């Protein structure tokens, strides 16, 4: 906040100015949050609790007009609420009056928000104890479990081959991801990139792209790539690769952000340039976490590779899908057993390796 | 005059006014000690001198040149001439002692050479020589974090010597060491100061160490200089002014 142009100002003025700016920013944030709180409460009360629960409507009436009306009402109430300086958001941003009214509003509105959220969740998920313990349902589950626990060993060879394919899909996705992630992670570490406006822009855009990629599940990526490169193990591998890069880049760059600043300071003080500082003070601190994340990710990828097979990503998942489609539960039982065994072994091995390198 | 600080202010983003108009000069070959409570601005002051922290207002003149606003390559040139030693040593734990010492030379090396570890024989020789000066040549191949605190700080001193610094800054270099080790580490600063004529500015807490090593003392209190003079002149009254009425002097030898 302090620019060079302000250097000639008296320091006390700068402090006061900073405080004023911060307070104003917090007040604006509080207004938005209060409007959101009110908007959310009215919506939940009207839609979930009134329409769905009390009136028990199948089709909930929807019109942008009514939403807009509710929004305008919320803007009115929310802004008013913030101006009293006793609202929940005022408290959250530290600009509330310190009195009994604030204390009570915060407590009551906090409880209110939590409760309506919980009740709305209950209604929306159609939580039903009756369905869970209905006799027909339980019987069906018993039949299925019975078959699963008497697996068909006739397809053992095929399943083993498919399983090996799955493990290699996961391994290759992990291996290829390493160099790519390594490079990206330095550009998505806040502490390295906040220096200038240009680097910060790069950081911001990269983070945005990675967040977007990560927020799409590998399952969806597999569907996309099975159209792109055709159904099979390659589609599964590349889907895992994309997601692995996006997730690990986040973990790697968080490791970079969490390093001890001391060595960085020391190397900077010797007059070393940026690249030298990264190589000498940052890299030695992150080698072990990187290794550990990567091995753990391999373990996750084996699990994901089985799921990805369900949508045409190859390996054991594809096989599982076929037998499940034919309702041949004994074969499904064998495959599930095999997946469980491999996942358990992978889990154990990766934990042991990670223990060993630390 | 090696260093001149004029009307230096530092205000952190959170509003802390760490330095409030600091003025002082340092002559070549001096051993200047800065004392004051934690939070009095000692560390900020040192970091403003070598620009690890950007001053908000004022001027720092090093070797007659205003370095307050230099940037880029020029700033790195300035930094290579100012060595720094830290309270927590700030070594690279996983690297060998030798590699840690060599890292002091980074500012004067080509980037590619430093990344691929292409160090010339001269650099190795210099590193061993500096390790010899602080008396731990035989530890060169060991991992830095396998050494004791005192030894690590000596490695840090050797690292800063690689810069052949004109000015050596030491930010509470003995604050995490035991009394006996403190004294021996301080002796290495004295050695560097006397034998190479390197100017030293050092933050310290213990007055007994101040009296033993300093040629001049500056006392900071909440960002302002409240005392400047000979170490021997600090009496009971000054001590209470600097450290507060509750304080009592602790002797360490």
């Amino acid at each position: 906040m302090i620019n060079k142009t302000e250097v000639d100002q008296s320091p006390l003025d700068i402090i006061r100015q900073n405080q004023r700016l911060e307070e104003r920013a917090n007040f604006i944030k509080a207004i938005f949050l209060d409007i959101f709180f009110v908007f959310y409460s009215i919506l939940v009360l009207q839609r979930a609790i009134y329409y769905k629960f009390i009136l028990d409507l199948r089709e909930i009436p929807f019109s942008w007009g009514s939403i807009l009306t509710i929004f305008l009402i919320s803007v009115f109430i929310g802004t008013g609420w913030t101006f009293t300086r006793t609202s929940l958001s005022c408290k959250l941003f530290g600009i509330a009056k310190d009195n009994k009214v604030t204390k009570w509003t915060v407590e009551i509105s906090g409880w209110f928000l939590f409760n309506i959220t919980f009740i709305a969740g209950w209604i929306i998920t159609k939580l039903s104890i009756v369905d869970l313990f209905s006799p027909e349902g339980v019987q069906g589950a018993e039949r299925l479990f019975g078959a699963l626990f008497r697996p068909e060993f006739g397809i053992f060879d095929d399943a083993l081959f498919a399983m090996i394919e799955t493990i290699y899909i996961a391994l290759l996705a992990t291996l290829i991801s390493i160099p790519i992630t390594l490079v990206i992670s330095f550009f998505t570490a806040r502490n390295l990139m906040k220096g200038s406006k240009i680097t910060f822009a790069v950081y911001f855009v990269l983070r945005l792209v990675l967040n977007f990629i990560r927020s799409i599940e590998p399952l969806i990526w597999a569907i996309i790539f099975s159209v792109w490169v055709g159904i099979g193990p390659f589609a599964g591998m590349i889907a895992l690769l994309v997601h692995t890069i996006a997730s690990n880049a986040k973990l790697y760059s968080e490791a970079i952000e969490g390093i001890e600043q001391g060595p960085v300071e020391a190397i900077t003080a010797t007059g070393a340039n940026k690249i030298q500082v990264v190589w000498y003070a940052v890299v030695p601190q992150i080698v072990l976490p990187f290794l550990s994340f990567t091995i753990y990710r391999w373990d996750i990828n084996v699990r994901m590779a089985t799921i990805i097979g369900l949508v045409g990503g190859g390996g054991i998942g594809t096989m599982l899908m076929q037998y499940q489609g034919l309702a041949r539960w004994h074969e499904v039982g064998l495959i599930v057993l095999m997946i469980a065994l491999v996942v358990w072994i992978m889990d154990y091995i990766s934990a042991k390796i990670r223990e060993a390198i630390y | 005059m090696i260093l001149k600080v004029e009307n230096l202010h530092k205000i952190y983003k959170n509003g802390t006014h760490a330095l409030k108009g600091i003025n002082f000069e340092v002559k070549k070959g001096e051993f200047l000690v800065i004392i004051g409570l934690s939070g009095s601005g000692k560390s900020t002051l040192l970091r403003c001198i070598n620009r690890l922290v950007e001053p908000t207002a004022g001027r720092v003149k090093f070797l007659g040149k205003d370095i307050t606003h230099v940037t880029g390559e020029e700033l790195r040139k300035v930094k290579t001439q100012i060595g720094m030693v830290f309270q927590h040593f700030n070594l690279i734990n996983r690297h060998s002692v030798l590699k840690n010492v060599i890292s002091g030379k980074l500012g004067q090396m080509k980037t590619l050479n430093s990344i691929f570890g292409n160090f010339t024989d001269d650099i190795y020789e210099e590193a061993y020589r500096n390790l010899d000066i602080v008396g731990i040549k035989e530890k060169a191949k060991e991992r830095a974090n396998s050494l004791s605190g005192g030894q690590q700080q000596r490695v840090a001193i050797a690292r800063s010597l690689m810069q052949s610094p004109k000015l050596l800054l030491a930010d509470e270099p003995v604050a995490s060491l035991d009394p006996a080790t403190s004294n021996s580490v301080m002796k290495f600063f004295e050695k560097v100061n006397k034998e190479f004529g390197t100017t030293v500015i050092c933050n310290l807490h213990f007055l007994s160490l101040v009296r033993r090593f300093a040629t001049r003392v500056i006392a900071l209190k909440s960002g302002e200089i409240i005392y400047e003079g000979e170490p021997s002149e600090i009496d009971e009254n000054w001590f209470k002014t600097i450290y507060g009425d509750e304080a009592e002097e602790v002797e360490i030898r």
Side-chain angles (χ1 to χ4, degrees):
Chain A
M1 267 189 207
I2 300 158
N3 300 324
K4 268 187 192 139
T5 47
E6 286 169 339
V7 159
D8 296 328
Q9 242 175 308
S10 132
L12 272 177
D13 280 350
I14 299 177
I15 294 179
R16 261 187 238 117
Q17 198 181 330
N18 283 348
Q19 270 171 356
R20 266 201 307 276
L21 280 176
E22 200 185 326
E23 204 155 292
R24 198 182 307 155
N26 278 339
F27 188 69
I28 292 169
K29 284 185 211 157
I31 291 181
F32 279 113
L33 195 61
D34 273 332
I35 293 174
F36 171 76
F37 281 150
V38 178
F39 185 54
Y40 173 77
S41 312
I42 300 178
L43 273 188
V44 168
L45 282 178
Q46 190 209 19
R47 311 248 130 202
I49 296 176
Y50 182 66
Y51 285 162
K52 251 200 150 147
F53 190 66
I54 298 178
L55 298 184
D56 200 16
L57 299 177
R58 280 272 160 80
E59 293 267 315
I60 292 181
F62 179 85
S63 80
W64 284 110
S66 72
I67 301 268
L68 190 69
T69 319
I70 293 176
F71 183 70
L72 288 179
I73 295 172
S74 328
V75 169
F76 191 68
I77 301 178
T79 315
W81 199 24
T82 317
F83 270 96
T84 63
R85 296 262 176 174
T86 56
S87 74
L88 189 56
S89 311
C90 288
K91 183 77 186 173
L92 288 175
F93 288 111
I95 52 168
K97 283 183 195 152
D98 192 20
N99 60 19
K100 271 234 165 74
V101 184
T102 311
K103 200 178 154 235
W104 283 107
T105 4
V106 168
E107 236 165 65
I108 293 171
S109 50
W111 266 109
F112 177 74
L113 280 170
F114 177 79
N115 281 323
I116 60 166
T117 304
F118 189 78
I119 292 169
W122 185 292
I123 295 167
I124 287 168
T125 53
K126 304 191 174 139
L127 208 149
S128 156
I129 309 275
V130 181
D131 284 351
L132 190 60
F133 293 108
S134 78
E136 308 96 77
V138 171
Q139 238 171 35
E142 268 175 9
R143 196 153 24 85
L144 194 70
F145 272 115
L148 289 180
F149 284 123
R150 271 176 282 118
E152 166 63 56
F153 279 92
I155 58 157
F156 184 80
D157 296 358
D158 287 347
L160 188 67
F161 186 75
M163 194 70 234
I164 290 170
E165 195 175 283
T166 295
I167 294 174
Y168 272 95
I169 290 173
L171 182 65
L172 208 65
T174 315
L175 283 180
I176 298 177
S177 79
I178 295 173
I180 305 172
T181 318
L182 213 60
V183 173
I184 293 178
S185 62
F186 285 99
F187 292 98
T188 52
R190 198 189 177 85
N191 53 347
L192 300 181
M193 300 296 282
K194 70 180 174 195
S196 79
K197 284 207 171 95
I198 302 164
T199 55
F200 194 76
V202 172
Y203 157 87
F204 191 79
V205 171
L206 258 180
R207 276 248 157 155
L208 214 64
V209 172
L210 289 179
N211 281 341
F212 176 74
I213 294 176
R214 198 174 45 244
S215 63
I216 299 174
E217 281 294 305
L219 202 67
I220 314 285
W221 283 115
I223 294 173
I224 294 170
F225 282 110
S226 63
V227 173
W228 190 337
V229 301
I231 286 178
F234 182 45
M237 193 283 280
I238 206 161
L240 277 183
L241 175 64
V242 167
H243 200 261
T244 302
I245 290 172
S247 327
N248 269 6
K250 186 182 166 68
L251 288 178
Y252 283 18
S253 50
E254 268 166 14
I256 296 174
E257 283 165 10
I259 58 167
E260 273 182 55
Q261 280 305 308
V264 176
E265 214 179 16
I267 300 294
T268 312
T270 66
N273 66 30
K274 193 97 194 196
I275 299 171
Q276 291 170 324
V277 171
V278 168
W279 188 255
Y280 275 84
V282 180
V283 171
Q285 294 194 57
I286 52 178
V287 170
L288 286 186
F290 276 24
L291 255 179
S292 164
F293 290 145
T294 309
I295 292 167
Y296 184 50
R297 185 67 202 194
W298 181 32
D299 173 21
I300 293 175
N301 276 350
V302 170
R303 256 173 282 172
M304 281 197 173
T306 62
I307 300 292
I308 274 176
L310 299 180
V311 295
I316 193 111
T318 307
M319 201 173 165
L320 177 69
M321 201 61 189
Q322 285 159 0
Y323 283 109
Q324 184 261 329
L326 300 169
R328 288 166 68 173
W329 299 115
H330 294 286
E331 280 82 354
V332 170
L334 178 81
I335 295 171
V336 169
L337 186 74
M338 199 170 239
I339 292 173
L341 203 68
V342 168
V343 166
W344 178 72
I345 292 171
M346 287 300 305
D347 195 62
Y348 180 78
I349 293 175
S350 95
K352 279 286 160 208
I353 297 178
R354 278 180 288 133
E355 247 170 55
I357 60 172
Y358 260 107
Chain B
M1 205 64 58
I2 189 162
L3 185 80
K4 190 169 182 184
V5 173
E6 290 171 10
N7 194 28
L8 197 69
H9 282 272
K10 175 63 193 177
I11 302 163
Y12 285 104
K13 274 186 185 163
N14 62 13
T16 313
H17 200 165
L19 297 176
K20 300 171 183 162
I22 302 287
N23 288 292
F24 68 93
E25 291 178 359
V26 187
K27 289 196 195 70
K28 197 171 173 340
E30 269 194 286
F31 197 120
L32 175 70
V33 168
I34 303 171
I35 57 175
L37 286 172
S38 306
S40 61
K42 303 189 299 293
S43 294
T44 306
L45 178 56
L46 283 196
R47 281 167 173 72
C48 279
I49 292 173
N50 70 350
R51 296 276 304 280
L52 283 179
V53 166
E54 293 297 327
T56 310
R59 241 168 287 284
V60 178
K61 281 185 182 163
F62 176 62
L63 296 171
K65 195 173 148 246
D66 188 347
I67 59 162
T68 331
H69 299 296
V70 297
T71 51
E73 203 61 18
E74 213 180 339
L75 175 61
R76 297 209 297 114
K77 277 271 156 55
V78 172
K79 280 181 178 167
T80 55
Q81 299 177 58
I82 306 177
M84 187 154 184
V85 174
F86 301 82
Q87 178 183 352
H88 298 293
F89 328 132
N90 292 356
L91 300 179
I92 316 299
N93 287 333
R94 296 170 48 75
H95 282 174
S96 70
V97 165
L98 187 64
K99 202 166 182 193
N100 267 292
V101 174
I102 288 175
S103 70
K105 202 81 184 171
L106 285 174
Q108 295 150 52
M109 259 188 261
K110 288 232 167 66
T111 308
L112 276 184
N113 284 344
S114 60
I115 283 180
F116 290 114
N118 282 336
F119 308 122
T120 58
D121 289 346
D122 288 352
I123 292 180
Y124 279 115
E125 239 171 68
E126 198 182 340
Y128 275 112
R129 205 163 52 235
N130 286 328
L131 274 175
D132 204 22
I133 290 171
V134 293
I136 38 172
K137 202 175 173 182
E138 73 283 356
K139 302 270 185 195
K141 300 282 183 205
E142 280 176 41
R143 255 177 72 146
N145 61 354
S146 69
L147 269 56
S148 72
Q151 288 170 333
Q152 289 195 35
Q153 195 60 297
R154 279 146 71 185
V155 175
I157 294 175
R159 174 173 66 187
S160 70
L161 289 181
M162 287 300 279
Q163 299 171 241
S164 329
K166 304 254 179 354
L167 174 65
L168 183 56
L169 307 174
D171 186 19
E172 297 186 24
V174 295
S176 16
L177 302 175
D178 63 67
T181 323
S182 294
N183 209 27
S184 85
V185 165
M186 284 310 294
K187 275 186 187 156
F188 286 108
F189 282 105
E190 190 181 34
K191 190 171 167 186
V192 172
N193 177 248
K194 294 232 166 92
E195 285 181 19
F196 307 109
T198 308
T199 314
V200 177
I201 304 180
C202 180
N203 290 347
L204 277 181
H205 272 311
F206 288 110
L207 275 185
S208 51
L209 290 177
V210 178
R211 292 201 187 97
R212 163 108 165 61
F213 294 101
T215 58
R216 196 155 62 94
V217 179
I218 285 177
L220 283 187
K221 191 172 189 182
S222 47
E224 284 167 302
I225 294 184
I226 55 164
Y227 175 84
E228 189 173 352
E230 300 277 319
S232 54
E233 287 166 9
I234 301 178
D235 53 18
E236 186 75 2
N237 277 338
W238 268 114
F239 184 76
K240 291 233 189 289
T241 327
I242 297 165
Y243 286 101
D245 290 333
E246 304 282 298
E248 233 172 86
E249 195 178 336
V250 189
E251 277 289 315
I252 79 161
R253 290 186 191 284

